[in-house]
Amino acid sequence: MIRLVGILVGLGFTFVVLLAFVTGAYTAATEEVAETAEHAFHEEAHGPEAGYSFDGVFGTWNYAQLQRGYQVYKEVCSACHSLKFVAFRDLAQLGYSEAQVKAEAATWQVPGINPDTGENEMRQALPTDYFPSPYPNAVAAAAANNNAIPPDLSLMTKARHHGSNYVYSLLTGYQQPPERMLEDFPDAAPGTGLYYNPYFANLNLAMAPPLTSDGQVTYADGTDATISQMSQDVAAFLTWTAEPALIKRKQTGLPVLGFLLFATILAWFAKKQVWADVKPKRRKD
Protein backbone atom coordinates (compact mmCIF):
# COMPACT_ATOMS: atom_id res chain seq x y z
CA MET A 1 0.00 0.00 0.00
CA ILE A 2 2.82 2.42 0.91
CA ARG A 3 4.60 1.62 -2.34
CA LEU A 4 1.42 2.32 -4.32
CA VAL A 5 0.95 5.67 -2.58
CA GLY A 6 4.57 6.58 -3.30
CA ILE A 7 4.13 5.76 -6.99
CA LEU A 8 0.95 7.83 -7.19
CA VAL A 9 2.62 10.78 -5.48
CA GLY A 10 5.58 10.55 -7.87
CA LEU A 11 3.28 10.40 -10.89
CA GLY A 12 1.33 13.39 -9.59
CA PHE A 13 4.49 15.39 -9.07
CA THR A 14 5.73 14.47 -12.55
CA PHE A 15 2.40 15.50 -14.07
CA VAL A 16 2.48 18.88 -12.31
CA VAL A 17 6.05 19.56 -13.47
CA LEU A 18 5.22 18.53 -17.04
CA LEU A 19 2.08 20.68 -17.04
CA ALA A 20 4.04 23.69 -15.76
CA PHE A 21 6.68 23.17 -18.44
CA VAL A 22 4.15 22.87 -21.26
CA THR A 23 2.18 25.89 -20.00
CA GLY A 24 5.33 28.00 -19.70
CA ALA A 25 6.59 26.97 -23.13
CA TYR A 26 3.22 27.74 -24.73
CA THR A 27 3.05 31.13 -23.01
CA ALA A 28 6.60 32.01 -24.08
CA ALA A 29 5.86 31.01 -27.67
CA THR A 30 2.52 32.81 -28.04
CA GLU A 31 2.60 35.78 -25.68
CA GLU A 32 3.96 39.04 -27.07
CA VAL A 33 6.76 40.47 -24.96
CA ALA A 34 6.19 44.09 -24.04
CA GLU A 35 9.01 46.31 -25.26
CA THR A 36 10.94 48.04 -22.51
CA ALA A 37 12.85 51.29 -22.61
CA GLU A 38 16.08 49.41 -21.91
CA HIS A 39 15.50 47.19 -24.93
CA ALA A 40 14.49 50.05 -27.21
CA PHE A 41 17.12 52.64 -26.32
CA HIS A 42 20.12 50.80 -24.90
CA GLU A 43 23.11 51.11 -27.22
CA GLU A 44 26.12 48.86 -27.63
CA ALA A 45 29.42 50.27 -26.41
CA HIS A 46 31.90 51.51 -28.99
CA GLY A 47 35.48 52.61 -28.78
CA PRO A 48 37.28 55.68 -30.15
CA GLU A 49 37.62 55.95 -33.92
CA ALA A 50 41.36 55.30 -33.86
CA GLY A 51 40.96 52.35 -31.49
CA TYR A 52 43.47 51.47 -28.78
CA SER A 53 47.14 50.66 -29.11
CA PHE A 54 46.62 47.41 -27.21
CA ASP A 55 43.98 46.07 -29.62
CA GLY A 56 44.75 43.04 -31.73
CA VAL A 57 47.27 40.24 -31.51
CA PHE A 58 50.26 42.57 -31.90
CA GLY A 59 48.94 45.33 -29.64
CA THR A 60 51.23 47.20 -27.24
CA TRP A 61 50.80 49.65 -24.39
CA ASN A 62 50.98 53.33 -25.22
CA TYR A 63 52.73 54.43 -22.02
CA ALA A 64 52.16 58.13 -22.68
CA GLN A 65 48.44 57.40 -22.91
CA LEU A 66 48.49 55.32 -19.74
CA GLN A 67 50.16 58.17 -17.87
CA ARG A 68 47.55 60.60 -19.18
CA GLY A 69 44.82 58.18 -18.12
CA TYR A 70 46.30 58.00 -14.65
CA GLN A 71 46.24 61.80 -14.51
CA VAL A 72 42.53 61.79 -15.44
CA TYR A 73 41.82 59.20 -12.77
CA LYS A 74 43.74 61.14 -10.14
CA GLU A 75 42.24 64.54 -10.90
CA VAL A 76 38.68 63.45 -11.72
CA CYS A 77 37.72 59.85 -10.96
CA SER A 78 39.51 59.42 -7.63
CA ALA A 79 37.08 61.85 -5.99
CA CYS A 80 34.52 59.01 -5.95
CA HIS A 81 36.16 55.77 -7.09
CA SER A 82 38.91 53.67 -5.53
CA LEU A 83 41.60 51.42 -7.04
CA LYS A 84 41.98 49.04 -4.13
CA PHE A 85 43.85 46.35 -6.07
CA VAL A 86 46.54 48.69 -7.43
CA ALA A 87 49.59 49.71 -5.42
CA PHE A 88 51.53 52.91 -6.02
CA ARG A 89 54.64 50.89 -6.83
CA ASP A 90 52.74 49.40 -9.79
CA LEU A 91 52.99 52.81 -11.48
CA ALA A 92 56.57 51.91 -12.33
CA GLN A 93 55.07 49.72 -15.08
CA LEU A 94 53.79 52.90 -16.74
CA GLY A 95 57.31 54.23 -17.25
CA TYR A 96 57.74 56.19 -14.02
CA SER A 97 61.12 56.00 -12.30
CA GLU A 98 61.50 54.85 -8.70
CA ALA A 99 61.91 58.44 -7.54
CA GLN A 100 58.82 59.53 -9.47
CA VAL A 101 56.76 56.70 -7.97
CA LYS A 102 57.88 57.65 -4.48
CA ALA A 103 57.09 61.32 -5.10
CA GLU A 104 53.71 60.48 -6.62
CA ALA A 105 52.77 58.25 -3.70
CA ALA A 106 53.61 61.07 -1.31
CA THR A 107 50.91 63.24 -2.90
CA TRP A 108 48.24 60.84 -1.59
CA GLN A 109 46.94 60.43 1.94
CA VAL A 110 46.18 56.95 3.28
CA PRO A 111 44.82 55.76 6.64
CA GLY A 112 47.50 54.99 9.21
CA ILE A 113 48.13 54.67 12.94
CA ASN A 114 50.02 57.17 15.03
CA PRO A 115 52.97 55.22 16.52
CA ASP A 116 52.95 57.39 19.64
CA THR A 117 49.24 57.39 20.50
CA GLY A 118 47.96 54.36 18.62
CA GLU A 119 45.11 56.43 17.20
CA ASN A 120 43.98 56.43 13.58
CA GLU A 121 45.34 59.22 11.42
CA MET A 122 46.04 60.05 7.79
CA ARG A 123 49.62 59.88 6.56
CA GLN A 124 51.56 60.26 3.33
CA ALA A 125 51.35 57.15 1.19
CA LEU A 126 54.37 54.96 0.48
CA PRO A 127 55.03 53.08 -2.78
CA THR A 128 53.95 49.86 -1.03
CA ASP A 129 50.53 51.28 -0.15
CA TYR A 130 47.44 50.72 -2.28
CA PHE A 131 45.29 53.49 -3.69
CA PRO A 132 42.93 54.58 -0.93
CA SER A 133 39.16 54.83 -1.03
CA PRO A 134 37.82 58.39 -1.02
CA TYR A 135 35.28 57.38 1.64
CA PRO A 136 35.83 55.80 5.07
CA ASN A 137 33.07 53.22 4.55
CA ALA A 138 30.14 52.24 2.34
CA VAL A 139 27.63 54.25 4.38
CA ALA A 140 29.56 57.46 3.83
CA ALA A 141 29.95 56.63 0.12
CA ALA A 142 26.20 56.10 -0.30
CA ALA A 143 25.35 59.25 1.64
CA ALA A 144 27.54 61.34 -0.64
CA ASN A 145 26.24 59.85 -3.89
CA ASN A 146 22.44 59.82 -3.82
CA ASN A 147 22.43 56.48 -1.98
CA ALA A 148 24.55 54.83 -4.72
CA ILE A 149 27.96 53.43 -3.79
CA PRO A 150 30.60 54.22 -6.46
CA PRO A 151 32.21 50.94 -7.56
CA ASP A 152 35.91 50.23 -7.34
CA LEU A 153 37.52 50.69 -10.76
CA SER A 154 40.46 48.28 -10.44
CA LEU A 155 38.78 45.52 -12.46
CA MET A 156 36.02 47.49 -14.15
CA THR A 157 37.05 46.73 -17.72
CA LYS A 158 37.08 43.02 -16.86
CA ALA A 159 33.67 43.21 -15.20
CA ARG A 160 31.88 44.78 -18.20
CA HIS A 161 31.30 43.47 -21.71
CA HIS A 162 33.80 45.13 -24.06
CA GLY A 163 35.15 46.86 -20.95
CA SER A 164 37.47 49.43 -22.55
CA ASN A 165 34.79 50.50 -25.02
CA TYR A 166 32.18 50.48 -22.26
CA VAL A 167 34.16 52.97 -20.16
CA TYR A 168 34.77 55.20 -23.17
CA SER A 169 31.12 55.11 -24.30
CA LEU A 170 29.78 55.72 -20.80
CA LEU A 171 31.97 58.78 -20.26
CA THR A 172 31.07 60.29 -23.63
CA GLY A 173 27.45 59.12 -23.73
CA TYR A 174 25.64 61.49 -21.36
CA GLN A 175 22.75 63.22 -23.14
CA GLN A 176 19.16 64.31 -22.86
CA PRO A 177 16.54 61.52 -22.99
CA PRO A 178 14.91 61.18 -26.44
CA GLU A 179 11.46 62.68 -26.71
CA ARG A 180 10.05 59.39 -27.94
CA MET A 181 11.27 57.63 -24.81
CA LEU A 182 9.62 60.22 -22.59
CA GLU A 183 6.38 59.80 -24.51
CA ASP A 184 6.33 55.99 -24.84
CA PHE A 185 8.05 55.11 -21.55
CA PRO A 186 7.39 57.93 -19.09
CA ASP A 187 8.38 55.69 -16.17
CA ALA A 188 11.89 55.39 -17.64
CA ALA A 189 12.55 59.12 -17.41
CA PRO A 190 15.52 59.98 -15.16
CA GLY A 191 14.41 60.70 -11.63
CA THR A 192 15.90 63.17 -9.20
CA GLY A 193 19.67 62.81 -9.07
CA LEU A 194 19.81 60.47 -12.08
CA TYR A 195 21.33 61.05 -15.51
CA TYR A 196 20.39 59.52 -18.85
CA ASN A 197 23.05 57.47 -20.59
CA PRO A 198 22.09 54.93 -23.30
CA TYR A 199 25.24 52.87 -22.63
CA PHE A 200 24.27 52.13 -19.03
CA ALA A 201 22.26 48.97 -18.42
CA ASN A 202 19.04 50.64 -17.23
CA LEU A 203 19.68 53.95 -19.05
CA ASN A 204 19.78 56.07 -15.87
CA LEU A 205 22.66 56.24 -13.41
CA ALA A 206 23.45 58.20 -10.29
CA MET A 207 26.91 59.31 -11.43
CA ALA A 208 26.91 62.83 -12.79
CA PRO A 209 28.95 63.40 -15.95
CA PRO A 210 32.54 63.39 -14.62
CA LEU A 211 34.03 64.92 -17.78
CA THR A 212 32.08 68.05 -18.54
CA SER A 213 34.32 70.22 -20.71
CA ASP A 214 37.42 70.17 -22.87
CA GLY A 215 40.56 71.11 -21.00
CA GLN A 216 39.20 69.86 -17.67
CA VAL A 217 42.60 68.22 -17.18
CA THR A 218 45.84 69.89 -18.26
CA TYR A 219 48.02 67.12 -19.63
CA ALA A 220 51.68 67.23 -18.67
CA ASP A 221 52.71 66.23 -22.21
CA GLY A 222 50.66 68.99 -23.84
CA THR A 223 48.06 66.73 -25.47
CA ASP A 224 44.77 68.47 -26.25
CA ALA A 225 42.46 67.28 -23.45
CA THR A 226 39.12 66.95 -25.21
CA ILE A 227 36.36 64.95 -23.55
CA SER A 228 36.89 62.19 -26.10
CA GLN A 229 40.66 62.15 -25.49
CA MET A 230 40.32 62.10 -21.71
CA SER A 231 37.73 59.29 -21.94
CA GLN A 232 39.98 57.26 -24.21
CA ASP A 233 43.01 57.77 -21.97
CA VAL A 234 41.29 56.81 -18.72
CA ALA A 235 39.69 53.79 -20.44
CA ALA A 236 43.17 52.65 -21.48
CA PHE A 237 44.49 53.22 -17.96
CA LEU A 238 41.66 51.16 -16.44
CA THR A 239 42.37 48.42 -18.97
CA TRP A 240 45.91 48.31 -17.60
CA THR A 241 44.74 48.23 -13.95
CA ALA A 242 42.50 45.27 -14.77
CA GLU A 243 45.00 43.41 -16.97
CA PRO A 244 48.55 44.65 -16.36
CA ALA A 245 49.94 41.49 -17.99
CA LEU A 246 47.79 41.85 -21.14
CA ILE A 247 50.64 42.67 -23.52
CA LYS A 248 53.06 40.21 -21.93
CA ARG A 249 50.43 37.49 -22.35
CA LYS A 250 50.07 38.33 -26.04
CA GLN A 251 53.84 38.36 -26.52
CA THR A 252 54.11 34.98 -24.82
CA GLY A 253 51.17 33.47 -26.66
CA LEU A 254 52.54 33.96 -30.17
CA PRO A 255 55.78 31.99 -29.62
CA VAL A 256 53.81 29.27 -27.84
CA LEU A 257 51.42 28.93 -30.78
CA GLY A 258 54.39 28.85 -33.16
CA PHE A 259 56.06 26.13 -31.10
CA LEU A 260 52.88 24.05 -30.97
CA LEU A 261 52.50 24.33 -34.74
CA PHE A 262 56.11 23.29 -35.27
CA ALA A 263 55.77 20.39 -32.82
CA THR A 264 52.62 19.20 -34.59
CA ILE A 265 54.33 19.19 -37.98
CA LEU A 266 57.38 17.45 -36.51
CA ALA A 267 55.20 14.78 -34.90
CA TRP A 268 53.42 14.16 -38.20
CA PHE A 269 56.70 13.63 -40.06
CA ALA A 270 57.98 11.41 -37.23
CA LYS A 271 54.86 9.27 -37.50
CA LYS A 272 55.37 8.94 -41.27
CA GLN A 273 59.01 7.94 -40.73
CA VAL A 274 58.32 5.37 -38.01
CA TRP A 275 55.52 3.64 -39.92
CA ALA A 276 57.05 3.95 -43.38
CA ASP A 277 58.12 0.26 -43.61
CA VAL A 278 55.00 -1.17 -42.04
CA LYS A 279 52.68 -2.62 -44.63
CA PRO A 280 49.01 -3.12 -43.86
CA LYS A 281 47.93 -6.73 -43.56
CA ARG A 282 45.73 -8.01 -46.32
CA ARG A 283 42.50 -9.58 -45.31
CA LYS A 284 42.23 -13.27 -46.14
CA ASP A 285 38.90 -14.24 -47.58
Side-chain angles (χ1 to χ4, degrees):
M1 184 63 181
I2 296 178
R3 180 176 297 178
L4 179 61
V5 172
I7 293 175
L8 293 176
V9 171
L11 290 174
F13 178 77
T14 303
F15 174 76
V16 171
V17 172
L18 182 61
L19 179 63
F21 174 78
V22 173
T23 302
Y26 176 78
T27 301
T30 58
E31 187 178 70
E32 293 186 4
V33 179
E35 187 179 38
T36 63
E38 290 85 352
H39 180 267
F41 295 95
H42 179 70
E43 298 182 20
E44 288 296 324
H46 63 88
E49 293 183 3
Y52 299 99
S53 64
F54 49 81
D55 287 338
V57 177
F58 301 100
T60 58
W61 293 125
N62 181 337
Y63 292 105
Q65 182 180 58
L66 295 182
Q67 292 184 11
R68 293 196 302 267
Y70 167 65
Q71 188 177 349
V72 175
Y73 167 77
K74 179 181 179 181
E75 297 185 19
V76 180
C77 307
S78 64
C80 298
H81 298 277
S82 59
L83 283 178
K84 64 182 180 181
F85 296 119
V86 182
F88 291 104
R89 61 186 173 188
D90 295 331
L91 295 177
Q93 299 178 32
L94 304 187
Y96 293 108
S97 66
E98 183 178 347
Q100 288 175 318
V101 170
K102 186 175 182 180
E104 183 60 33
T107 65
W108 293 74
Q109 293 287 311
V110 297
I113 297 178
N114 189 309
D116 298 324
T117 64
E119 296 180 353
N120 294 329
E121 66 175 9
M122 300 300 291
R123 61 169 175 81
Q124 283 187 347
L126 300 173
T128 52
D129 290 317
Y130 286 76
F131 281 86
S133 171
Y135 305 103
N137 51 57
V139 176
N145 293 277
N146 196 27
N147 207 35
I149 301 175
D152 179 81
L153 297 182
S154 304
L155 305 176
M156 183 55 65
T157 60
K158 291 284 288 183
R160 297 293 184 270
H161 187 57
H162 296 310
S164 303
N165 291 339
Y166 170 80
V167 172
Y168 175 83
S169 298
L170 192 73
L171 293 175
T172 59
Y174 286 91
Q175 55 191 268
Q176 292 297 320
E179 290 296 332
R180 187 172 73 85
M181 189 191 81
L182 298 178
E183 295 174 358
D184 297 345
F185 306 97
D187 293 339
T192 303
L194 297 178
Y195 302 86
Y196 176 77
N197 193 314
Y199 300 101
F200 192 63
N202 65 359
L203 305 181
N204 301 312
L205 71 164
M207 181 177 72
L211 301 175
T212 56
S213 62
D214 295 342
Q216 187 172 342
V217 172
T218 302
Y219 282 137
D221 63 1
T223 301
D224 188 16
T226 62
I227 291 179
S228 176
Q229 184 67 56
M230 291 185 289
S231 300
Q232 180 178 351
D233 293 341
V234 76
F237 172 70
L238 293 179
T239 301
W240 170 79
T241 64
E243 298 185 271
L246 174 64
I247 302 305
K248 185 177 294 186
R249 187 169 67 247
K250 290 182 179 182
Q251 294 172 343
T252 303
L254 289 175
V256 169
L257 290 176
F259 171 78
L260 291 176
L261 178 62
F262 172 76
T264 301
I265 296 174
L266 189 64
W268 184 79
F269 278 112
K271 179 260 183 186
K272 297 286 290 184
Q273 179 68 25
V274 170
W275 295 92
D277 297 332
V278 179
K279 298 180 179 180
K281 294 183 178 179
R282 294 182 178 180
R283 180 178 177 182
K284 295 181 179 180
D285 297 330

